[in-house]
Amino acid sequence: MMIYLKLIWSYLKIGFFGFGGGYAMLALIENEIVSPGWITEKMFTDIVAISQMTPGPIGINSATYIGYVAPMHSSETLNSPLWGILGSIICTLVVIIPSFLLVRYASHYIRRHRDSVAIKGIFNGLRPVVIGLIASAALILMNGENFGHTSPEVIKSIALAVAALAVTLFTKTHPILIIICAGAAGYILF
């Protein structure tokens, strides 16, 4: 049952230090989840894609999925869906609790001292860090698992990404329609 303690420890770190939302958390999630070998890089990129298409924040969605998968692949537990469900519940709760507690207790302090130079300085320091973390998430996702390993695959992937970006920026097409069209184009192209 050490797998559950390891998952709890990893998701406590993600919950406490995952500033800036889902994309800013991606580097931390990857380091905590892929490095120990609980999932592969391919599975991680799939989780990111699925988490963006399903309701809810990426941190919670990934915690639920990884909490299910990690115990199922562990030699410590029997290969039963019940162990995966228990892992999903544990990881989801553990990643939510730190954020809940930080917001609960810090919001009172921040509200009382919002004009403080120290509070303004903290937020001014966090903004560029969050932007850097989001940029690192973009770099993490620019890998062979997402863009292919051969030149034709890479060219098709980049063309599809640029087309989706152009449609998003220059038309008022609903994002769900873009996702569905991109999935269909991916099915046809690959």
Side-chain angles (χ1 to χ4, degrees):
M1 297 303 148
M2 282 299 283
I3 187 73
Y4 294 112
L5 293 176
K6 291 175 185 174
L7 285 168
I8 288 169
W9 179 243
S10 290
Y11 273 101
L12 273 175
K13 288 189 279 186
I14 292 167
F16 274 115
F17 299 107
F19 294 104
Y23 286 116
M25 289 176 142
L26 280 183
L28 183 56
I29 293 170
E30 181 191 37
N31 186 55
E32 289 295 320
I33 304 308
V34 176
S35 295
W38 292 333
I39 62 169
T40 64
E41 189 70 35
K42 169 97 171 90
M43 290 172 73
F44 179 72
T45 56
D46 290 345
I47 289 169
V48 172
I50 291 168
S51 293
Q52 292 306 299
M53 292 187 297
T54 55
I58 191 170
I60 295 170
N61 290 345
S62 71
T64 304
Y65 180 77
I66 293 164
Y68 184 81
V69 171
M72 300 288 284
H73 290 112
S74 173
S75 60
E76 299 174 23
T77 59
L78 299 174
N79 194 2
S80 167
L82 293 176
W83 295 111
I85 292 169
L86 177 64
S88 290
I89 292 168
I90 289 171
C91 289
T92 302
L93 289 175
V94 169
V95 81
I96 292 171
I97 289 170
S99 300
F100 174 77
L101 293 176
L102 285 171
V103 169
R104 170 89 169 93
Y105 294 109
S107 65
H108 175 70
Y109 177 80
I110 291 171
R111 193 171 35 248
R112 276 181 67 194
H113 302 285
R114 69 176 156 243
D115 296 325
S116 162
V117 174
I119 296 294
K120 288 180 181 179
I122 289 169
F123 282 111
N124 286 336
L126 284 175
R127 283 186 195 109
V129 170
V130 169
I131 291 169
L133 289 170
I134 292 170
S136 75
L139 293 174
I140 287 169
L141 295 174
M142 289 183 194
N143 59 31
E145 300 300 333
N146 284 332
F147 283 91
H149 296 286
T150 64
S151 292
E153 287 178 337
V154 172
I155 292 169
K156 289 180 208 176
S157 295
I158 291 172
L160 191 56
V162 169
L165 178 64
V167 170
T168 302
L169 292 176
F170 301 117
T171 70
K172 294 184 185 252
T173 305
H174 198 281
I176 293 174
L177 183 58
I178 295 171
I179 290 169
I180 292 168
C181 291
Y187 180 75
I188 293 166
L189 291 172
F190 300 101

